[in-house]
PDB file of all heavy atoms in Angstrom:
ATOM      1  N   ILE A   1      -5.217   7.000   1.811  1.00 76.00           N
ATOM      2  CA  ILE A   1      -5.882   6.264   2.894  1.00 76.00           C
ATOM      3  C   ILE A   1      -6.760   7.211   3.711  1.00 76.00           C
ATOM      4  O   ILE A   1      -7.918   6.906   4.022  1.00 76.00           O
ATOM      5  CB  ILE A   1      -4.836   5.587   3.799  1.00 76.00           C
ATOM      6  CG1 ILE A   1      -4.061   4.527   3.018  1.00 76.00           C
ATOM      7  CG2 ILE A   1      -5.512   4.937   5.014  1.00 76.00           C
ATOM      8  CD1 ILE A   1      -2.837   4.016   3.745  1.00 76.00           C
ATOM      9  N   GLN A   2      -6.198   8.387   4.063  1.00 77.00           N
ATOM     10  CA  GLN A   2      -6.968   9.367   4.835  1.00 77.00           C
ATOM     11  C   GLN A   2      -8.208   9.815   4.075  1.00 77.00           C
ATOM     12  O   GLN A   2      -9.291   9.950   4.650  1.00 77.00           O
ATOM     13  CB  GLN A   2      -6.082  10.567   5.159  1.00 77.00           C
ATOM     14  CG  GLN A   2      -4.931  10.272   6.099  1.00 77.00           C
ATOM     15  CD  GLN A   2      -4.009  11.471   6.245  1.00 77.00           C
ATOM     16  OE1 GLN A   2      -4.418  12.620   6.135  1.00 77.00           O
ATOM     17  NE2 GLN A   2      -2.735  11.205   6.475  1.00 77.00           N
ATOM     18  N   GLU A   3      -8.041  10.044   2.772  1.00 77.00           N
ATOM     19  CA  GLU A   3      -9.163  10.485   1.942  1.00 77.00           C
ATOM     20  C   GLU A   3     -10.259   9.429   1.898  1.00 77.00           C
ATOM     21  O   GLU A   3     -11.450   9.731   2.039  1.00 77.00           O
ATOM     22  CB  GLU A   3      -8.661  10.771   0.527  1.00 77.00           C
ATOM     23  CG  GLU A   3      -9.742  11.116  -0.487  1.00 77.00           C
ATOM     24  CD  GLU A   3     -10.151  12.574  -0.442  1.00 77.00           C
ATOM     25  OE1 GLU A   3      -9.599  13.329   0.377  1.00 77.00           O
ATOM     26  OE2 GLU A   3     -11.031  12.942  -1.227  1.00 77.00           O
ATOM     27  N   ALA A   4      -9.841   8.182   1.708  1.00 71.00           N
ATOM     28  CA  ALA A   4     -10.813   7.098   1.606  1.00 71.00           C
ATOM     29  C   ALA A   4     -11.644   6.960   2.874  1.00 71.00           C
ATOM     30  O   ALA A   4     -12.861   6.786   2.826  1.00 71.00           O
ATOM     31  CB  ALA A   4     -10.096   5.780   1.307  1.00 71.00           C
ATOM     32  N   ARG A   5     -10.970   7.079   4.010  1.00 69.00           N
ATOM     33  CA  ARG A   5     -11.686   6.891   5.279  1.00 69.00           C
ATOM     34  C   ARG A   5     -12.496   8.128   5.659  1.00 69.00           C
ATOM     35  O   ARG A   5     -13.611   8.013   6.147  1.00 69.00           O
ATOM     36  CB  ARG A   5     -10.680   6.567   6.384  1.00 69.00           C
ATOM     37  CG  ARG A   5      -9.895   5.295   6.124  1.00 69.00           C
ATOM     38  CD  ARG A   5     -10.792   4.078   5.951  1.00 69.00           C
ATOM     39  NE  ARG A   5     -11.355   3.641   7.228  1.00 69.00           N
ATOM     40  CZ  ARG A   5     -12.445   2.905   7.348  1.00 69.00           C
ATOM     41  NH1 ARG A   5     -13.128   2.552   6.273  1.00 69.00           N
ATOM     42  NH2 ARG A   5     -12.873   2.531   8.529  1.00 69.00           N
ATOM     43  N   SER A   6     -11.932   9.325   5.434  1.00 71.00           N
ATOM     44  CA  SER A   6     -12.626  10.543   5.835  1.00 71.00           C
ATOM     45  C   SER A   6     -13.871  10.792   4.990  1.00 71.00           C
ATOM     46  O   SER A   6     -14.848  11.367   5.454  1.00 71.00           O
ATOM     47  CB  SER A   6     -11.693  11.757   5.743  1.00 71.00           C
ATOM     48  OG  SER A   6     -11.328  12.002   4.397  1.00 71.00           O
ATOM     49  N   GLU A   7     -13.821  10.350   3.723  1.00 63.00           N
ATOM     50  CA  GLU A   7     -14.966  10.533   2.834  1.00 63.00           C
ATOM     51  C   GLU A   7     -16.024   9.453   3.037  1.00 63.00           C
ATOM     52  O   GLU A   7     -17.073   9.479   2.404  1.00 63.00           O
ATOM     53  CB  GLU A   7     -14.505  10.516   1.372  1.00 63.00           C
ATOM     54  CG  GLU A   7     -13.635  11.692   0.971  1.00 63.00           C
ATOM     55  CD  GLU A   7     -14.414  12.997   0.962  1.00 63.00           C
ATOM     56  OE1 GLU A   7     -15.609  12.963   0.618  1.00 63.00           O
ATOM     57  OE2 GLU A   7     -13.829  14.038   1.320  1.00 63.00           O
ATOM     58  N   GLY A   8     -15.712   8.499   3.896  1.00 57.00           N
ATOM     59  CA  GLY A   8     -16.667   7.432   4.152  1.00 57.00           C
ATOM     60  C   GLY A   8     -16.833   6.487   2.987  1.00 57.00           C
ATOM     61  O   GLY A   8     -17.855   5.812   2.847  1.00 57.00           O
ATOM     62  N   LYS A   9     -15.818   6.423   2.113  1.00 57.00           N
ATOM     63  CA  LYS A   9     -15.905   5.530   0.965  1.00 57.00           C
ATOM     64  C   LYS A   9     -15.714   4.082   1.413  1.00 57.00           C
ATOM     65  O   LYS A   9     -14.934   3.803   2.315  1.00 57.00           O
ATOM     66  CB  LYS A   9     -14.854   5.904  -0.080  1.00 57.00           C
ATOM     67  CG  LYS A   9     -15.094   7.278  -0.688  1.00 57.00           C
ATOM     68  CD  LYS A   9     -14.001   7.647  -1.663  1.00 57.00           C
ATOM     69  CE  LYS A   9     -14.249   9.043  -2.244  1.00 57.00           C
ATOM     70  NZ  LYS A   9     -13.184   9.467  -3.155  1.00 57.00           N
ATOM     71  N   ALA A  10     -16.428   3.194   0.762  1.00 57.00           N
ATOM     72  CA  ALA A  10     -16.397   1.794   1.165  1.00 57.00           C
ATOM     73  C   ALA A  10     -15.347   1.035   0.371  1.00 57.00           C
ATOM     74  O   ALA A  10     -15.421   0.940  -0.843  1.00 57.00           O
ATOM     75  CB  ALA A  10     -17.767   1.159   0.938  1.00 57.00           C
ATOM     76  N   TYR A  11     -14.373   0.530   1.060  1.00 60.00           N
ATOM     77  CA  TYR A  11     -13.325  -0.276   0.431  1.00 60.00           C
ATOM     78  C   TYR A  11     -13.329  -1.653   1.080  1.00 60.00           C
ATOM     79  O   TYR A  11     -13.502  -1.787   2.284  1.00 60.00           O
ATOM     80  CB  TYR A  11     -11.955   0.375   0.604  1.00 60.00           C
ATOM     81  CG  TYR A  11     -11.769   1.599  -0.246  1.00 60.00           C
ATOM     82  CD1 TYR A  11     -12.245   2.829   0.184  1.00 60.00           C
ATOM     83  CD2 TYR A  11     -11.158   1.523  -1.486  1.00 60.00           C
ATOM     84  CE1 TYR A  11     -12.101   3.960  -0.603  1.00 60.00           C
ATOM     85  CE2 TYR A  11     -11.004   2.647  -2.280  1.00 60.00           C
ATOM     86  CZ  TYR A  11     -11.483   3.853  -1.827  1.00 60.00           C
ATOM     87  OH  TYR A  11     -11.350   4.975  -2.607  1.00 60.00           O
ATOM     88  N   SER A  12     -13.100  -2.650   0.262  1.00 63.00           N
ATOM     89  CA  SER A  12     -13.081  -4.007   0.792  1.00 63.00           C
ATOM     90  C   SER A  12     -11.794  -4.254   1.548  1.00 63.00           C
ATOM     91  O   SER A  12     -10.770  -3.598   1.343  1.00 63.00           O
ATOM     92  CB  SER A  12     -13.193  -5.012  -0.358  1.00 63.00           C
ATOM     93  OG  SER A  12     -12.032  -4.964  -1.152  1.00 63.00           O
ATOM     94  N   SER A  13     -11.836  -5.240   2.462  1.00 64.00           N
ATOM     95  CA  SER A  13     -10.625  -5.605   3.193  1.00 64.00           C
ATOM     96  C   SER A  13      -9.573  -6.131   2.220  1.00 64.00           C
ATOM     97  O   SER A  13      -8.371  -5.971   2.440  1.00 64.00           O
ATOM     98  CB  SER A  13     -10.946  -6.660   4.258  1.00 64.00           C
ATOM     99  OG  SER A  13     -11.518  -7.814   3.668  1.00 64.00           O
ATOM    100  N   GLU A  14     -10.035  -6.740   1.098  1.00 69.00           N
ATOM    101  CA  GLU A  14      -9.094  -7.227   0.079  1.00 69.00           C
ATOM    102  C   GLU A  14      -8.323  -6.067  -0.552  1.00 69.00           C
ATOM    103  O   GLU A  14      -7.143  -6.188  -0.877  1.00 69.00           O
ATOM    104  CB  GLU A  14      -9.839  -8.009  -1.004  1.00 69.00           C
ATOM    105  CG  GLU A  14     -10.362  -9.367  -0.559  1.00 69.00           C
ATOM    106  CD  GLU A  14     -11.670  -9.271   0.205  1.00 69.00           C
ATOM    107  OE1 GLU A  14     -12.213  -8.142   0.324  1.00 69.00           O
ATOM    108  OE2 GLU A  14     -12.139 -10.303   0.697  1.00 69.00           O
ATOM    109  N   GLU A  15      -9.017  -4.923  -0.717  1.00 68.00           N
ATOM    110  CA  GLU A  15      -8.377  -3.729  -1.275  1.00 68.00           C
ATOM    111  C   GLU A  15      -7.227  -3.275  -0.394  1.00 68.00           C
ATOM    112  O   GLU A  15      -6.105  -3.044  -0.861  1.00 68.00           O
ATOM    113  CB  GLU A  15      -9.427  -2.621  -1.377  1.00 68.00           C
ATOM    114  CG  GLU A  15      -8.883  -1.280  -1.830  1.00 68.00           C
ATOM    115  CD  GLU A  15      -8.777  -1.177  -3.327  1.00 68.00           C
ATOM    116  OE1 GLU A  15      -9.341  -2.022  -4.025  1.00 68.00           O
ATOM    117  OE2 GLU A  15      -8.102  -0.257  -3.790  1.00 68.00           O
ATOM    118  N   PHE A  16      -7.496  -3.157   0.894  1.00 69.00           N
ATOM    119  CA  PHE A  16      -6.453  -2.721   1.819  1.00 69.00           C
ATOM    120  C   PHE A  16      -5.370  -3.780   1.966  1.00 69.00           C
ATOM    121  O   PHE A  16      -4.203  -3.466   2.145  1.00 69.00           O
ATOM    122  CB  PHE A  16      -7.067  -2.387   3.180  1.00 69.00           C
ATOM    123  CG  PHE A  16      -7.774  -1.063   3.200  1.00 69.00           C
ATOM    124  CD1 PHE A  16      -9.150  -0.999   3.203  1.00 69.00           C
ATOM    125  CD2 PHE A  16      -7.060   0.127   3.204  1.00 69.00           C
ATOM    126  CE1 PHE A  16      -9.810   0.212   3.215  1.00 69.00           C
ATOM    127  CE2 PHE A  16      -7.711   1.357   3.217  1.00 69.00           C
ATOM    128  CZ  PHE A  16      -9.090   1.399   3.223  1.00 69.00           C
ATOM    129  N   SER A  17      -5.758  -5.047   1.895  1.00 73.00           N
ATOM    130  CA  SER A  17      -4.777  -6.129   1.992  1.00 73.00           C
ATOM    131  C   SER A  17      -3.798  -6.086   0.832  1.00 73.00           C
ATOM    132  O   SER A  17      -2.583  -6.269   1.007  1.00 73.00           O
ATOM    133  CB  SER A  17      -5.492  -7.486   2.022  1.00 73.00           C
ATOM    134  OG  SER A  17      -4.558  -8.541   2.088  1.00 73.00           O
ATOM    135  N   SER A  18      -4.311  -5.814  -0.369  1.00 75.00           N
ATOM    136  CA  SER A  18      -3.458  -5.717  -1.547  1.00 75.00           C
ATOM    137  C   SER A  18      -2.489  -4.549  -1.416  1.00 75.00           C
ATOM    138  O   SER A  18      -1.288  -4.668  -1.721  1.00 75.00           O
ATOM    139  CB  SER A  18      -4.321  -5.543  -2.801  1.00 75.00           C
ATOM    140  OG  SER A  18      -3.521  -5.350  -3.940  1.00 75.00           O
ATOM    141  N   LEU A  19      -2.995  -3.403  -0.952  1.00 76.00           N
ATOM    142  CA  LEU A  19      -2.144  -2.234  -0.757  1.00 76.00           C
ATOM    143  C   LEU A  19      -1.100  -2.505   0.319  1.00 76.00           C
ATOM    144  O   LEU A  19       0.057  -2.101   0.196  1.00 76.00           O
ATOM    145  CB  LEU A  19      -3.003  -1.030  -0.370  1.00 76.00           C
ATOM    146  CG  LEU A  19      -2.279   0.311  -0.208  1.00 76.00           C
ATOM    147  CD1 LEU A  19      -1.551   0.699  -1.493  1.00 76.00           C
ATOM    148  CD2 LEU A  19      -3.250   1.402   0.201  1.00 76.00           C
ATOM    149  N   LEU A  20      -1.494  -3.216   1.376  1.00 78.00           N
ATOM    150  CA  LEU A  20      -0.562  -3.558   2.449  1.00 78.00           C
ATOM    151  C   LEU A  20       0.587  -4.412   1.916  1.00 78.00           C
ATOM    152  O   LEU A  20       1.751  -4.191   2.256  1.00 78.00           O
ATOM    153  CB  LEU A  20      -1.307  -4.293   3.562  1.00 78.00           C
ATOM    154  CG  LEU A  20      -0.472  -4.753   4.763  1.00 78.00           C
ATOM    155  CD1 LEU A  20       0.183  -3.556   5.455  1.00 78.00           C
ATOM    156  CD2 LEU A  20      -1.351  -5.519   5.755  1.00 78.00           C
ATOM    157  N   ASP A  21       0.266  -5.385   1.065  1.00 82.00           N
ATOM    158  CA  ASP A  21       1.305  -6.233   0.461  1.00 82.00           C
ATOM    159  C   ASP A  21       2.279  -5.399  -0.364  1.00 82.00           C
ATOM    160  O   ASP A  21       3.497  -5.623  -0.329  1.00 82.00           O
ATOM    161  CB  ASP A  21       0.671  -7.310  -0.423  1.00 82.00           C
ATOM    162  CG  ASP A  21      -0.044  -8.386   0.377  1.00 82.00           C
ATOM    163  OD1 ASP A  21       0.227  -8.503   1.586  1.00 82.00           O
ATOM    164  OD2 ASP A  21      -0.882  -9.102  -0.199  1.00 82.00           O
ATOM    165  N   ASP A  22       1.729  -4.420  -1.118  1.00 82.00           N
ATOM    166  CA  ASP A  22       2.581  -3.557  -1.932  1.00 82.00           C
ATOM    167  C   ASP A  22       3.516  -2.732  -1.056  1.00 82.00           C
ATOM    168  O   ASP A  22       4.712  -2.600  -1.343  1.00 82.00           O
ATOM    169  CB  ASP A  22       1.726  -2.616  -2.786  1.00 82.00           C
ATOM    170  CG  ASP A  22       1.031  -3.337  -3.929  1.00 82.00           C
ATOM    171  OD1 ASP A  22       1.391  -4.494  -4.207  1.00 82.00           O
ATOM    172  OD2 ASP A  22       0.125  -2.743  -4.535  1.00 82.00           O
ATOM    173  N   VAL A  23       2.968  -2.170   0.019  1.00 83.00           N
ATOM    174  CA  VAL A  23       3.773  -1.327   0.910  1.00 83.00           C
ATOM    175  C   VAL A  23       4.890  -2.140   1.556  1.00 83.00           C
ATOM    176  O   VAL A  23       6.027  -1.674   1.661  1.00 83.00           O
ATOM    177  CB  VAL A  23       2.869  -0.680   1.983  1.00 83.00           C
ATOM    178  CG1 VAL A  23       3.707  -0.059   3.098  1.00 83.00           C
ATOM    179  CG2 VAL A  23       1.976   0.386   1.348  1.00 83.00           C
ATOM    180  N   LYS A  24       4.587  -3.365   1.968  1.00 85.00           N
ATOM    181  CA  LYS A  24       5.620  -4.227   2.549  1.00 85.00           C
ATOM    182  C   LYS A  24       6.728  -4.493   1.538  1.00 85.00           C
ATOM    183  O   LYS A  24       7.923  -4.446   1.871  1.00 85.00           O
ATOM    184  CB  LYS A  24       4.998  -5.561   2.993  1.00 85.00           C
ATOM    185  CG  LYS A  24       4.133  -5.469   4.235  1.00 85.00           C
ATOM    186  CD  LYS A  24       3.556  -6.848   4.568  1.00 85.00           C
ATOM    187  CE  LYS A  24       2.689  -6.814   5.808  1.00 85.00           C
ATOM    188  NZ  LYS A  24       2.090  -8.145   6.091  1.00 85.00           N
ATOM    189  N   SER A  25       6.348  -4.779   0.297  1.00 86.00           N
ATOM    190  CA  SER A  25       7.322  -5.086  -0.746  1.00 86.00           C
ATOM    191  C   SER A  25       8.222  -3.900  -1.035  1.00 86.00           C
ATOM    192  O   SER A  25       9.440  -4.051  -1.242  1.00 86.00           O
ATOM    193  CB  SER A  25       6.592  -5.512  -2.027  1.00 86.00           C
ATOM    194  OG  SER A  25       7.486  -5.626  -3.104  1.00 86.00           O
ATOM    195  N   LEU A  26       7.656  -2.703  -1.020  1.00 87.00           N
ATOM    196  CA  LEU A  26       8.412  -1.516  -1.405  1.00 87.00           C
ATOM    197  C   LEU A  26       9.392  -1.051  -0.329  1.00 87.00           C
ATOM    198  O   LEU A  26      10.259  -0.221  -0.597  1.00 87.00           O
ATOM    199  CB  LEU A  26       7.446  -0.380  -1.746  1.00 87.00           C
ATOM    200  CG  LEU A  26       6.613  -0.607  -3.013  1.00 87.00           C
ATOM    201  CD1 LEU A  26       5.587   0.507  -3.171  1.00 87.00           C
ATOM    202  CD2 LEU A  26       7.503  -0.692  -4.243  1.00 87.00           C
ATOM    203  N   GLN A  27       9.285  -1.593   0.876  1.00 88.00           N
ATOM    204  CA  GLN A  27      10.217  -1.203   1.934  1.00 88.00           C
ATOM    205  C   GLN A  27      11.650  -1.607   1.609  1.00 88.00           C
ATOM    206  O   GLN A  27      12.605  -1.024   2.117  1.00 88.00           O
ATOM    207  CB  GLN A  27       9.781  -1.803   3.272  1.00 88.00           C
ATOM    208  CG  GLN A  27       8.546  -1.136   3.849  1.00 88.00           C
ATOM    209  CD  GLN A  27       8.057  -1.807   5.118  1.00 88.00           C
ATOM    210  OE1 GLN A  27       8.840  -2.228   5.951  1.00 88.00           O
ATOM    211  NE2 GLN A  27       6.751  -1.908   5.270  1.00 88.00           N
ATOM    212  N   THR A  28      11.828  -2.606   0.763  1.00 90.00           N
ATOM    213  CA  THR A  28      13.175  -3.040   0.380  1.00 90.00           C
ATOM    214  C   THR A  28      13.554  -2.563  -1.027  1.00 90.00           C
ATOM    215  O   THR A  28      14.578  -2.980  -1.563  1.00 90.00           O
ATOM    216  CB  THR A  28      13.292  -4.574   0.429  1.00 90.00           C
ATOM    217  OG1 THR A  28      12.381  -5.151  -0.533  1.00 90.00           O
ATOM    218  CG2 THR A  28      12.966  -5.104   1.819  1.00 90.00           C
ATOM    219  N   LEU A  29      12.730  -1.692  -1.602  1.00 90.00           N
ATOM    220  CA  LEU A  29      12.944  -1.274  -2.993  1.00 90.00           C
ATOM    221  C   LEU A  29      14.305  -0.616  -3.193  1.00 90.00           C
ATOM    222  O   LEU A  29      15.028  -0.938  -4.146  1.00 90.00           O
ATOM    223  CB  LEU A  29      11.825  -0.319  -3.425  1.00 90.00           C
ATOM    224  CG  LEU A  29      11.944   0.275  -4.834  1.00 90.00           C
ATOM    225  CD1 LEU A  29      12.007  -0.824  -5.883  1.00 90.00           C
ATOM    226  CD2 LEU A  29      10.770   1.211  -5.120  1.00 90.00           C
ATOM    227  N   MET A  30      14.671   0.311  -2.315  1.00 92.00           N
ATOM    228  CA  MET A  30      15.941   1.009  -2.494  1.00 92.00           C
ATOM    229  C   MET A  30      17.118   0.041  -2.425  1.00 92.00           C
ATOM    230  O   MET A  30      18.006   0.070  -3.282  1.00 92.00           O
ATOM    231  CB  MET A  30      16.084   2.098  -1.426  1.00 92.00           C
ATOM    232  CG  MET A  30      15.226   3.324  -1.679  1.00 92.00           C
ATOM    233  SD  MET A  30      15.660   4.222  -3.197  1.00 92.00           S
ATOM    234  CE  MET A  30      17.334   4.708  -2.823  1.00 92.00           C
ATOM    235  N   ALA A  31      17.140  -0.811  -1.411  1.00 92.00           N
ATOM    236  CA  ALA A  31      18.253  -1.748  -1.260  1.00 92.00           C
ATOM    237  C   ALA A  31      18.328  -2.705  -2.447  1.00 92.00           C
ATOM    238  O   ALA A  31      19.414  -2.975  -2.978  1.00 92.00           O
ATOM    239  CB  ALA A  31      18.112  -2.528   0.045  1.00 92.00           C
ATOM    240  N   ASP A  32      17.174  -3.214  -2.869  1.00 93.00           N
ATOM    241  CA  ASP A  32      17.142  -4.148  -3.994  1.00 93.00           C
ATOM    242  C   ASP A  32      17.633  -3.486  -5.279  1.00 93.00           C
ATOM    243  O   ASP A  32      18.406  -4.070  -6.051  1.00 93.00           O
ATOM    244  CB  ASP A  32      15.720  -4.676  -4.208  1.00 93.00           C
ATOM    245  CG  ASP A  32      15.228  -5.530  -3.051  1.00 93.00           C
ATOM    246  OD1 ASP A  32      16.065  -5.976  -2.244  1.00 93.00           O
ATOM    247  OD2 ASP A  32      14.003  -5.743  -2.960  1.00 93.00           O
ATOM    248  N   THR A  33      17.180  -2.258  -5.521  1.00 93.00           N
ATOM    249  CA  THR A  33      17.541  -1.546  -6.747  1.00 93.00           C
ATOM    250  C   THR A  33      19.029  -1.214  -6.773  1.00 93.00           C
ATOM    251  O   THR A  33      19.699  -1.384  -7.795  1.00 93.00           O
ATOM    252  CB  THR A  33      16.722  -0.245  -6.868  1.00 93.00           C
ATOM    253  OG1 THR A  33      15.322  -0.562  -6.880  1.00 93.00           O
ATOM    254  CG2 THR A  33      17.056   0.491  -8.148  1.00 93.00           C
ATOM    255  N   LEU A  34      19.547  -0.751  -5.639  1.00 93.00           N
ATOM    256  CA  LEU A  34      20.965  -0.401  -5.578  1.00 93.00           C
ATOM    257  C   LEU A  34      21.855  -1.629  -5.710  1.00 93.00           C
ATOM    258  O   LEU A  34      22.920  -1.569  -6.337  1.00 93.00           O
ATOM    259  CB  LEU A  34      21.260   0.329  -4.264  1.00 93.00           C
ATOM    260  CG  LEU A  34      20.646   1.734  -4.145  1.00 93.00           C
ATOM    261  CD1 LEU A  34      20.792   2.258  -2.720  1.00 93.00           C
ATOM    262  CD2 LEU A  34      21.297   2.703  -5.122  1.00 93.00           C
ATOM    263  N   THR A  35      21.413  -2.745  -5.140  1.00 94.00           N
ATOM    264  CA  THR A  35      22.184  -3.993  -5.259  1.00 94.00           C
ATOM    265  C   THR A  35      22.285  -4.419  -6.712  1.00 94.00           C
ATOM    266  O   THR A  35      23.369  -4.781  -7.206  1.00 94.00           O
ATOM    267  CB  THR A  35      21.527  -5.107  -4.434  1.00 94.00           C
ATOM    268  OG1 THR A  35      21.550  -4.742  -3.049  1.00 94.00           O
ATOM    269  CG2 THR A  35      22.263  -6.434  -4.614  1.00 94.00           C
ATOM    270  N   LYS A  36      21.165  -4.369  -7.417  1.00 94.00           N
ATOM    271  CA  LYS A  36      21.164  -4.735  -8.826  1.00 94.00           C
ATOM    272  C   LYS A  36      22.021  -3.771  -9.635  1.00 94.00           C
ATOM    273  O   LYS A  36      22.777  -4.174 -10.532  1.00 94.00           O
ATOM    274  CB  LYS A  36      19.734  -4.735  -9.363  1.00 94.00           C
ATOM    275  CG  LYS A  36      19.628  -5.186 -10.816  1.00 94.00           C
ATOM    276  CD  LYS A  36      18.175  -5.251 -11.262  1.00 94.00           C
ATOM    277  CE  LYS A  36      18.072  -5.695 -12.720  1.00 94.00           C
ATOM    278  NZ  LYS A  36      16.663  -5.737 -13.174  1.00 94.00           N
TER     279      LYS A  36
END
C-alpha cells in the first residue's frame, strides 16, 4: 500500500475495495483454521 501511494501509481477504488474485503476476511483466519 505504501509503495503504491508513494510511487504515485494509479489504482482504482475497486482495487482497494477488493483488498479491503480480503483483509477483513483474513482477520478470522486463525480462529477458523484452528476450529476446523
